[in-house]
Amino acid sequence: MASIINSISFKNFFNYYGDYDTTRYDFEEGVNIVVADNGAGKSKFFNAFLWLFYDTVLNSDDKRTYPVKDFAVKIISDKAKNETLMGDSVETGIKLEYSTGRYKFQIVKSFIATRIGEKLSDFDSWQITLNDVEVDKTDHVLPKYKPIYDAEEKHRVINQLILPTLRQYSFFQGEEVDKMIDFTKKSSIEDAVRTLTNISKYEDIAKIVQDISNKAYNDLNKQTKSTSDHNDRLESAIELKKSLEIQLEQENEKLNIQKELYETAEQEKNDLEQNFANAEKRKELDDKISQKSRVLRGVKEDYDNFLEGINSRFFDGGFSWISLGFERSVVDFKDKIKDFRQKRYEKRALLNATENPNDYFTILPSDSPDAVTLEQMIESEHCHVCNRSAEKGSDAHNYLLKLKNRPNETDSTRDFVKNDLEDFFGNLQINASPFLNKFEAIPQSVLRTREKELELKKRLDKLNSELKTLKARRKDILIAGTESEGADNASDIINQYKGSIRRIEQASGRIERLQNNISELKTKITNTDKEITSLRPKDIPEGYTVSYEITQDLVEATNKAQARVFDKMVSLLESHANEHFESLIKYNDIKGGVLSFEKTPSGGISLDYIDELGNDVSGASEGFQRMKKFAVVMAIISANTSQYNYPLLADAPLSAFGKAFNKGFFEAIPDVFPQSIILVKDLYDKDLDGKLTDLGQKLLESNTIRTLYLNEVDEELPQIERTTKIERRK
Amino acid sequence: MNSQEFRNNLLLKRPRYAVSRIPVLDAFSEKGSKSADYSRFGPYYEIYIYAMMLGIKKKQRLPLPPRDLTKDFIEMGKWKRDSSLIDFLLMVIFTQTDNLQIDWNELEDMGQEDLNKVISSVVNLIEEYANGGLAYLEELWENGKLDNSHYMFIDLYNTSSNNDN
């Protein structure tokens, strides 16, 4: 029956402050997820298992593992440390419960720290005593735990949770997948095949039958010598075979050296490719960041200008906010100017009348012609009133003209006031017109201003958050890239890369030549062997010959069987890996290709993703590469003839995956692992109400997910107050 | 004096403000410190105009202290160039005939000296309203009653009822 982790709990373990019952995760068969942002306890959780299995913890600062004993002071919760008085002690530990079909086990690892110094985080301030590991056992019928005392039995119980040989496939942190599956290394694929098959038995048999065969050959030669008196030709044939065999051995040695060189160069090439890709990706991200920053600066400036400019809308005729509430003044002004003009008019009229009454009141005699008649009279040069001619230039004609132009004479401009201010007031009204007609529109304009601001603000926030994401990705790459030493310079990388390819080609050419030599030598040896057989005296007892022949056949058969088992397992892995890969990338666009396991000259396997025409599918991201390898991990586990009986414990397996990969991942893992506990930050979004991303929410509703926890740490608090809060969401 | 001369004489005037109002003027205009706590106006004349209009809305006239406790700034003709803002402001001011104790038609018959007195009293009215508005702003400011938002001034302006209405 499979091992299923029922619960894990912590006591003052890093930020998991408090006793076991306050910081406890209960898990079930199936998929269990712990969602936590950076710094909210994922790696600490993972560390609990490192302590359980290896008595070490991983220091996230320098990515190195330390024995628990030496690192204890850092393991204790800062809050707990702070609360421990001088001379008092604090206990720190982890407790895990797991069950197999019939039994249930509880394992506790802990230590006691006694405070002997002032400085909290000083290693010298604490005296550490490691407690014995406690292992208890119960069967499901009896609810009571009974302690196990035997050290070996305790060890066995811990190992049974995940067998040491399988841990590399079942207990890992995100980036480790890259390293654990590197089939270009012959040892890596051999490891996998050895884990999965009884191939080591074939290796044993091969060794035994080879020994027997050698013995049979020696016996046969001894017999030959003792029965034949003198046979130069046979003698020299045996010598020849011996020297050929020595040559073969030397060539094999050379071949091994070249294979190693090949493997090293291939490894270097792969590492550089990773680096190269990172370098390229870094550049790409840098470009994106600087472009985004530029846009952001522009929008920020727009936004600032906009805010600065809000108040200028008071004075801008286009907005005219200053006129808000002054409708009445405008009406007032209009009344006043009307009044003013009226009074002026009257005043002028009065003045004219007084000063020049005859000009002003021109009273025509009765029967005076109207304007139209007057016009006709002027034109026809004839007065219809007195019926006399009035030729042009005559007094009569001039009189008619004078009559006609009569109103104009009275319009002559003349000052009737000291200060003519009509234009002053009139122009105020005309000029101010932009400010006179917006009263009703102003509230709307204020509202639109607010909307515009919100719009700009939204855009600014969006850009800010995009930039933050880009920077975070850039930082992630930096972390991944720090492992390569001295290869920071891009041209260095390219030169090294070219060098490694040249060495791969060289080694590969030499391997081919050596393999030719070897097969020639083998043919020669076989032929020499035939000659030896024919030269052997006929009086040798048949048993020696037969025994030699049979053992030789056995050697050949065993070698072939071993190779067949290996090949068969590789092709089984290939087909399983493809199946898993298919389901992992279910939601991705890249489709239509297959994972192909190609043999390399050094005996390793290169893992390629090729399309129907056999071409490499390029442009595959880091996440894609990791997914490919994860498919192989799953293949190694599912290709096992028996059911896989161990949980999967993975910290941040998704860190480099895209969203679509994540979805595929959670759907695919239950096919292989009876239980999985996945620690992720990718489903966390602190800005959302439920703190979970869309996918997080969907998983919460999905039947495949059995439990989902959310860790939160109050980042506002100082480190010595911080604790990890565990919230079960499902 | 014709219309153009009258206008020119008026626009050449440089209204004054009390020296004691400098802190409030600085706090709400860009001439003040760069790291402002509140929403601000641009040049002095903006906050000055705003205060004046606020003074009219609130009917707050406050005489200036003696001349040596006041300062002047740019002439009205240079407030917001290439804009008819000043025309609108003068429209509002010249409707205040009761406060100015003038009759538009009488202006036309005044002697040079009297007309200049009218111009002075127009400027005086502007100064007193501005001073009243600034005093009101200062009081809100000192009592922490100003809402620190980008819309502080328009909100305040909007809620200040125009007592003329």
Side-chain angles (χ1 to χ4, degrees):
Chain A
M1 276 298 281
S3 309
I4 299 293
I5 297 171
N6 305 111
S7 74
I8 184 161
S9 39
F10 310 105
K11 183 174 186 178
N12 299 326
F13 182 66
F14 292 103
N15 278 357
Y16 291 104
Y17 166 82
D19 212 340
Y20 293 116
D21 51 355
T22 57
T23 50
R24 175 183 166 107
Y25 296 90
D26 288 295
F27 294 122
E28 291 176 22
E29 200 168 335
V31 182
N32 302 270
I33 302 175
V34 177
V35 180
D37 198 6
N38 286 339
K42 283 194 310 295
S43 307
K44 315 302 182 218
F45 187 107
F46 189 79
N47 262 331
F49 285 91
L50 282 176
W51 186 1
L52 181 75
F53 290 134
Y54 307 114
D55 288 317
T56 59
V57 285
L58 182 75
N59 179 15
S60 45
D61 294 339
D62 60 8
K63 298 252 172 207
R64 285 172 58 190
T65 50
Y66 293 88
V68 166
K69 188 162 53 78
D70 301 344
F71 206 64
V73 175
K74 285 209 169 186
I75 297 175
I76 312 166
S77 144
D78 284 317
K79 187 168 158 75
K81 271 190 283 196
N82 194 35
E83 287 168 0
T84 307
L85 300 174
M86 191 71 90
D88 282 356
S89 302
V90 59
E91 185 174 332
T92 296
I94 52 163
K95 186 197 272 182
L96 178 121
E97 279 181 303
Y98 81 93
S99 48
T100 59
R102 183 172 165 202
Y103 297 106
K104 199 169 172 187
F105 302 94
Q106 176 179 287
I107 308 159
V108 178
K109 284 198 171 184
S110 63
F111 61 79
I112 304 276
T114 309
R115 186 164 181 184
I116 52 171
E118 271 304 325
K119 285 191 176 167
L120 267 193
S121 44
D122 234 8
F123 280 65
D124 295 334
S125 302
W126 299 87
Q127 202 169 44
I128 308 295
T129 318
L130 288 183
N131 294 331
D132 265 354
V133 51
E134 294 167 42
V135 179
D136 298 290
K137 176 180 177 181
T138 175
D139 56 34
H140 287 305
V141 188
L142 293 169
K144 207 173 165 197
Y145 276 116
K146 280 187 194 158
I148 294 173
Y149 297 108
D150 182 55
E152 256 177 50
E153 176 71 3
K154 285 181 181 178
H155 196 59
R156 200 192 57 74
V157 169
I158 292 173
N159 276 347
Q160 191 188 254
L161 178 58
I162 304 176
L163 290 184
T165 47
L166 294 168
R167 267 179 217 155
Q168 61 166 323
Y169 306 120
S170 209
F171 172 60
F172 52 82
Q173 285 187 299
E175 332 57 283
E176 285 177 343
V177 184
D178 297 345
K179 283 175 201 143
M180 76 195 187
I181 302 295
D182 185 359
F183 282 177
T184 51
K185 270 191 199 146
K186 197 171 170 225
S187 57
S188 172
I189 180 86
E190 279 177 350
D191 261 5
V193 173
R194 199 164 282 128
T195 314
L196 292 169
T197 61
N198 49 6
I199 200 158
S200 51
K201 283 185 188 151
Y202 287 87
E203 285 166 1
D204 293 346
I205 294 169
K207 225 170 139 196
I208 293 167
V209 292
Q210 186 63 56
D211 278 355
I212 295 171
S213 170
N214 289 346
K215 209 162 165 257
Y217 180 65
N218 287 339
D219 286 350
L220 183 63
N221 284 348
K222 227 186 264 169
Q223 200 61 33
T224 309
K225 277 181 191 161
S226 67
T227 49
S228 113
D229 292 332
H230 198 70
N231 191 334
D232 282 346
R233 277 175 65 200
L234 179 61
E235 202 70 6
S236 66
I238 289 174
E239 281 306 309
L240 176 65
K241 190 188 166 193
K242 208 186 233 167
S243 89
L244 284 172
E245 274 171 346
I246 290 168
Q247 274 183 52
L248 179 65
E249 210 172 298
Q250 285 168 348
E251 293 294 290
N252 268 326
E253 250 169 55
K254 282 186 204 159
L255 181 67
N256 283 337
I257 290 169
Q258 289 304 322
K259 280 182 175 176
E260 244 169 66
L261 285 175
Y262 179 94
E263 229 173 66
T264 320
E266 169 98 20
Q267 180 66 39
E268 194 181 320
K269 187 195 108 184
N270 288 346
D271 287 351
L272 286 168
E273 259 171 9
Q274 183 92 8
N275 229 307
F276 197 51
N278 273 343
E280 269 185 4
K281 216 198 256 169
R282 270 206 295 271
K283 174 85 173 58
E284 192 189 311
L285 276 174
D286 281 345
D287 289 350
K288 274 191 194 158
I289 287 171
S290 80
Q291 191 201 345
K292 191 72 72 183
S293 303
R294 216 163 34 239
V295 177
L296 181 72
R297 271 200 302 278
V299 174
K300 178 89 177 55
E301 212 168 283
D302 285 354
Y303 182 66
D304 286 346
N305 286 341
F306 182 81
L307 290 183
E308 287 279 315
I310 288 178
N311 288 332
S312 71
R313 297 189 171 195
F314 276 100
F315 315 106
D316 183 332
F319 297 94
S320 173
W321 290 2
I322 198 77
S323 66
L324 184 68
F326 282 90
E327 295 92 327
R328 191 55 208 260
S329 298
V330 175
V331 174
D332 209 7
F333 189 90
K334 283 179 180 164
D335 288 346
K336 284 202 157 77
I337 201 167
K338 202 170 141 199
D339 208 27
F340 166 71
R341 283 183 174 140
Q342 179 64 34
K343 278 188 187 155
R344 274 185 118 237
Y345 178 75
E346 285 169 9
K347 197 171 165 186
R348 190 178 63 180
L350 192 66
L351 193 73
N352 275 342
T354 345
E355 278 182 1
N356 206 352
N358 291 335
D359 270 3
Y360 197 71
F361 302 102
T362 314
I363 300 164
L364 291 174
S366 57
D367 297 334
S368 290
D370 59 275
V372 180
T373 319
L374 199 58
E375 197 74 34
Q376 283 172 352
M377 281 156 52
I378 291 168
E379 209 163 290
S380 60
E381 300 179 24
H382 188 90
C383 175
H384 298 302
V385 179
C386 51
N387 200 16
R388 280 185 297 196
S389 80
E391 281 170 37
K392 218 177 202 173
S394 68
D395 282 351
H397 192 260
N398 284 346
Y399 185 75
L400 289 177
L401 280 178
K402 193 182 166 199
L403 263 182
K404 186 191 161 229
N405 294 332
R406 173 196 42 183
N408 292 345
E409 274 176 31
T410 57
D411 213 29
S412 65
T413 50
R414 38 171 313 175
D415 292 339
F416 66 98
V417 287
K418 277 193 200 148
N419 315 302
D420 183 347
L421 296 182
E422 201 206 345
D423 282 352
F424 172 76
F425 290 112
N427 287 342
L428 284 186
Q429 196 180 352
I430 294 167
N431 291 341
S433 61
F435 291 88
L436 305 184
N437 52 13
K438 300 218 166 56
F439 301 111
E440 280 169 23
I442 292 172
Q444 195 61 32
S445 147
V446 174
L447 195 70
R448 265 204 303 275
T449 305
R450 287 182 202 256
E451 281 169 0
K452 176 92 194 289
E453 189 212 329
L454 281 182
E455 201 180 286
L456 278 169
K457 182 84 182 22
K458 220 166 141 191
R459 182 142 180 249
L460 197 65
D461 287 348
K462 186 165 167 270
L463 281 166
N464 259 324
S465 107
E466 282 170 0
L467 191 65
K468 207 176 136 199
T469 314
L470 283 173
K471 282 185 175 163
R473 275 173 59 198
R474 173 75 168 75
K475 211 171 132 205
D476 284 350
I477 292 181
L478 262 189
I479 292 165
T482 45
E483 282 166 22
S484 65
E485 284 166 27
D488 259 358
N489 190 313
S491 71
D492 269 8
I493 294 178
I494 292 167
N495 283 338
Q496 279 186 41
Y497 185 69
K498 282 183 183 159
S500 65
I501 288 181
R502 202 173 51 243
R503 273 178 287 133
I504 288 174
E505 281 165 0
Q506 259 173 18
S508 157
R510 284 181 189 147
I511 287 170
E512 206 184 318
R513 266 204 310 285
L514 283 165
Q515 275 167 341
N516 283 341
N517 290 353
I518 285 166
S519 100
E520 265 173 42
L521 278 169
K522 277 182 177 165
T523 321
K524 274 187 196 161
I525 289 169
T526 318
N527 291 339
T528 318
D529 223 20
K530 275 182 194 154
E531 200 183 330
I532 291 170
T533 314
S534 66
L535 286 171
R536 281 191 208 283
K538 303 294 174 244
D539 55 350
I540 292 174
E542 210 186 345
Y544 288 100
T545 330
V546 173
S547 153
Y548 172 61
E549 278 165 7
I550 289 175
T551 53
Q552 257 194 322
D553 286 350
L554 268 177
V555 168
E556 210 183 320
T558 321
N559 284 339
K560 276 186 182 162
Q562 191 186 337
R564 252 199 326 273
V565 168
F566 189 88
D567 289 347
K568 215 174 136 192
M569 188 41 80
V570 169
S571 82
L572 186 67
L573 277 177
E574 184 174 5
S575 82
H576 274 254
N578 266 302
E579 240 171 68
H580 297 307
F581 193 65
E582 198 57 22
S583 54
L584 283 170
I585 64 164
K586 192 156 80 184
Y587 299 103
N588 278 69
D589 296 335
I590 26 163
K591 273 186 188 150
V594 286
L595 278 182
S596 118
F597 285 36
E598 280 295 318
K599 270 197 172 172
T600 67
S602 67
I605 298 286
S606 81
L607 213 58
D608 300 315
Y609 186 65
I610 54 173
D611 64 14
E612 287 149 342
L613 301 169
N615 296 318
D616 255 350
V617 176
S618 61
S621 66
E622 196 188 331
F624 180 82
Q625 300 297 346
R626 191 171 292 171
M627 195 54 99
K628 216 166 72 172
K629 291 186 171 182
F630 195 74
V632 179
V633 171
M634 291 173 75
I636 291 171
I637 283 164
S638 65
N640 214 324
T641 42
S642 58
Q643 194 207 339
Y644 190 72
N645 282 334
Y646 309 98
L648 165 70
L649 289 169
D651 177 13
L654 317 175
S655 58
F657 296 177
K659 265 188 197 154
F661 276 142
N662 292 351
K663 197 172 174 206
F665 175 83
F666 284 111
E667 286 188 15
I669 44 171
D671 295 347
V672 174
F673 297 96
Q675 182 187 36
S676 37
I677 298 173
I678 311 295
L679 309 165
V680 285
K681 80 159 186 198
D682 312 72
L683 303 175
Y684 183 80
D685 190 337
K686 73 168 190 294
D687 295 331
L688 294 178
D689 274 351
K691 311 269 182 194
L692 290 177
T693 63
D694 286 356
L695 180 59
Q697 283 295 349
K698 269 188 203 133
L699 289 171
L700 206 54
E701 288 152 23
S702 151
N703 291 329
T704 46
I705 311 302
R706 306 310 303 266
T707 72
L708 192 148
Y709 286 89
L710 187 78
N711 280 8
E712 286 219 274
V713 170
D714 193 345
E715 288 180 357
E716 307 276 296
L717 293 174
Q719 175 58 29
I720 50 164
E721 308 253 326
R722 277 190 209 173
T723 61
T724 297
K725 299 263 177 301
I726 303 168
E727 185 191 341
R728 183 163 181 172
R729 287 290 182 87
K730 188 172 184 175
Chain B
M1 212 183 283
N2 62 20
S3 285
Q4 196 54 49
E5 284 161 351
F6 183 70
R7 183 182 170 93
N8 286 348
N9 286 347
L10 192 56
L11 293 190
L12 276 171
K13 294 291 175 202
R14 305 161 75 104
R16 305 181 74 80
Y17 54 87
V19 174
S20 59
R21 303 284 176 223
I22 291 178
V24 68
L25 286 167
D26 279 349
F28 299 121
S29 69
E30 248 176 31
K31 215 179 162 189
S33 77
K34 267 285 162 196
S35 58
D37 293 332
Y38 289 96
S39 171
R40 292 179 306 179
F41 287 102
Y44 259 16
Y45 72 78
E46 288 190 358
I47 174 74
Y48 197 88
I49 292 170
Y50 177 82
M52 173 188 89
M53 297 295 268
L54 200 60
I56 296 174
K57 273 173 177 268
K58 303 240 108 193
K59 275 204 156 180
Q60 286 220 26
R61 276 177 74 179
L62 201 61
L64 287 185
R67 197 176 164 84
D68 56 349
L69 292 178
T70 62
K71 271 187 147 181
D72 63 3
F73 69 121
I74 57 167
E75 51 261 49
M76 287 194 282
K78 291 183 181 163
W79 292 359
K80 189 126 180 117
R81 283 158 202 251
D82 303 326
S83 157
S84 51
L85 175 66
I86 190 66
D87 295 273
F88 175 70
L89 300 178
L90 289 177
M91 262 180 81
V92 173
I93 290 293
F94 272 94
T95 53
Q96 303 266 329
T97 44
D98 290 347
N99 281 321
L100 290 170
Q101 294 177 335
I102 53 158
D103 176 293
W104 292 8
N105 294 93
E106 281 173 16
L107 296 183
E108 293 199 303
D109 290 327
M110 281 181 179
Q112 189 95 353
E113 206 174 309
D114 286 340
L115 207 50
N116 279 335
K117 271 187 194 153
V118 169
I119 289 177
S120 291
S121 70
V122 166
V123 174
N124 198 43
L125 186 64
I126 289 173
E127 288 169 344
E128 288 186 11
Y129 275 133
N131 197 28
L134 285 172
Y136 177 70
L137 273 179
E138 194 172 340
E139 195 200 321
L140 291 179
W141 182 40
E142 279 177 352
N143 294 322
K145 284 183 184 160
L146 286 178
D147 172 25
N148 188 7
S149 106
H150 301 299
Y151 305 94
M152 164 178 115
F153 288 114
I154 183 66
D155 289 345
L156 181 64
Y157 201 66
N158 199 12
T159 51
S160 300
S161 63
N162 193 339
N163 289 337
D164 277 359
N165 293 348

